[in-house]
């Protein structure tokens, strides 16, 4: 069996940055065991398997602003190509005030005595959003050591499945201005730190839109690879998240 496969770096225009993902094109359905074997072989946090629902469908889409709909295990995902990247059409999830005493051990284990400005929780995504003090800058977030393995020892009862650390942006000056920064950790699902996380920004977009009073924002995820996202909140309660993409590998998988 020979399958076309690609590795693409998302939310970046540069190779070896952003969020790396393997994309495998299928003509016929594979069993779940084969999916898992291929994903382990790729050894990336994401491996996507794309199969045409109808024989007349095309794997290629060259028209700008045309929308493709993907039927996934998590529901429909819509994406469209624009001149400067790909736009994902995603739901917007509110984050509610969270009692610090309920999560103090988790936060203490993750970031020690780091000063905190705000704590929110998204029940829809089971993500805990921790906003660091405005006294910190981007370099502090980038260099912060997070004890992800120790988080698994904290009693959690499944409430938190992802930890978002976020920080208010800074004026641009001589560098590009961003409205907010973030990092994302999910050791509960086997991801110590995700390089760039679209799903986390469905929560971050809701939070920072309220805090900043803005519908259009630019965000930067401060992982070691780094990733840039352009965010646009829509009147229908959804959010468009735009990012670049760089294909770094194209080949054939033999299985």
């Amino acid at each position: 069996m020979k399958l076309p496969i690609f590795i693409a770096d998302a939310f970046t225009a540069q190779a070896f940055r952003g969020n790396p993902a393997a994309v495998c094109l299928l003509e016929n359905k594979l069993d779940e065991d084969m999916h898992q074997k291929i994903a382990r072989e790729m050894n990336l946090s994401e491996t996507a398997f794309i199969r045409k629902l109808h024989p007349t469908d095309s794997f290629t889409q060259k028209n700008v602003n045309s929308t493709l709909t993907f039927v996934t295990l998590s529901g429909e995902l819509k994406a469209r190509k624009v001149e400067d990247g790909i736009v994902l059409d995603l739901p917007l999830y509110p984050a509610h005030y969270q009692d610090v005493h309920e999560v103090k051990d988790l936060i203490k284990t993750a970031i020690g005595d780091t000063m905190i400005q705000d704590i929110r929780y998204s029940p829809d995504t089971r993500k805990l959003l921790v906003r660091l003090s405005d006294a910190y800058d981007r370099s502090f977030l980038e260099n912060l050591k997070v004890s992800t393995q120790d988080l698994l020892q904290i009693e959690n009862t499944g409430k938190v499945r992802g930890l978002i650390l976020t920080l208010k942006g800074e004026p641009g000056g001589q560098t590009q201005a961003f409205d907010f920064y973030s990092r994302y950790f999910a050791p509960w699902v086997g991801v110590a730190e995700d390089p760039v996380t679209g799903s986390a920004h469905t929560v971050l977009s809701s939070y920072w839109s309220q805090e900043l009073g803005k519908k259009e924002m630019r965000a930067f995820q401060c992982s070691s690879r780094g990733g840039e996202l352009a965010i646009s909140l829509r009147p229908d309660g959804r959010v468009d998240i735009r990012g670049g993409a760089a294909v770094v590998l194209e080949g054939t998988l033999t299985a």
Side-chain angles (χ1 to χ4, degrees):
M1 179 173 58
K2 295 183 180 296
L3 304 172
I5 194 162
F6 306 82
I7 293 180
D9 293 340
F11 301 113
T12 180
Q14 303 176 39
F16 314 123
R17 293 184 61 80
N19 193 27
V23 181
C24 190
L25 305 184
L26 305 178
E27 291 292 342
N28 300 298
K29 188 175 182 179
L30 299 179
D31 59 43
E32 182 59 26
D33 182 61
M34 183 58 72
H35 284 171
Q36 294 297 327
K37 287 179 178 178
I38 294 173
R40 285 193 294 269
E41 190 74 13
M42 294 301 100
N43 196 31
L44 298 171
S45 58
E46 286 89 18
T47 299
F49 298 90
I50 300 178
R51 181 170 56 91
K52 294 184 287 186
L53 292 180
H54 307 287
T56 56
D57 291 340
S58 173
F59 279 129
T60 61
Q61 183 56 266
K62 297 181 179 179
N63 296 329
V64 174
N65 291 321
S66 58
T67 299
L68 289 177
T69 300
F70 300 90
V71 180
T72 76
L73 295 177
S74 302
E76 287 191 352
L77 170 65
K78 293 185 177 181
R80 70 180 185 272
K81 182 179 179 181
V82 294
E83 291 183 355
D84 56 349
I86 305 294
V87 176
L88 300 179
D89 171 355
L90 297 173
L92 195 63
Y93 292 116
H96 308 289
Y97 287 104
Q98 169 65 49
D99 184 351
V100 65
H101 298 290
E102 294 181 7
V103 292
K104 64 178 182 179
D105 291 340
L106 187 153
I107 295 174
K108 177 75 172 180
T109 298
I111 59 175
D113 295 324
T114 302
M115 294 185 293
I116 294 171
Q117 187 106 356
D118 198 2
I119 304 173
R120 302 290 180 97
Y121 178 70
S122 165
D124 298 293
T125 64
R126 291 195 286 177
K127 289 176 172 47
L128 182 69
L129 182 153
V130 178
R131 175 181 174 182
L132 306 186
S133 169
D134 290 349
Y136 298 125
D137 60 11
R138 169 176 165 175
S139 63
F140 178 87
L141 179 58
E142 289 176 331
N143 296 315
L144 183 64
K145 304 299 182 183
V146 178
S147 305
T148 54
Q149 284 302 312
D150 293 339
L151 288 175
L152 298 176
Q153 310 305 316
I154 303 300
E155 185 175 351
N156 184 19
T157 66
K159 177 178 179 177
V160 177
R161 306 294 284 172
L163 172 64
I164 303 169
L165 301 182
T166 188
L167 185 68
K168 186 177 179 181
E170 305 162 298
Q174 295 182 344
T175 62
Q176 189 173 24
F178 293 99
D179 293 287
F180 63 89
Y181 305 112
S182 69
R183 290 175 67 186
Y184 181 70
F185 308 87
W188 303 275
V189 295
V191 180
E193 179 171 5
D194 200 25
V196 194
T197 319
S199 64
H201 283 81
T202 63
V203 179
L204 285 161
S205 298
S206 175
Y207 175 79
W208 283 110
S209 176
Q210 294 180 4
E211 291 294 302
L212 302 175
K214 301 177 72 172
K215 300 292 185 182
E216 306 285 335
M217 295 174 288
R218 293 188 60 81
F220 187 84
Q221 191 157 330
C222 297
S223 66
S224 59
R225 292 177 64 98
E228 300 181 15
L229 308 93
I231 293 163
S232 179
L233 275 69
R234 297 179 0 202
D236 62 359
R238 296 180 67 84
V239 60
D240 285 340
I241 298 180
R242 186 178 79 250
V247 176
V248 296
L249 183 147
E250 179 178 351
T252 302
L253 175 71
T254 302

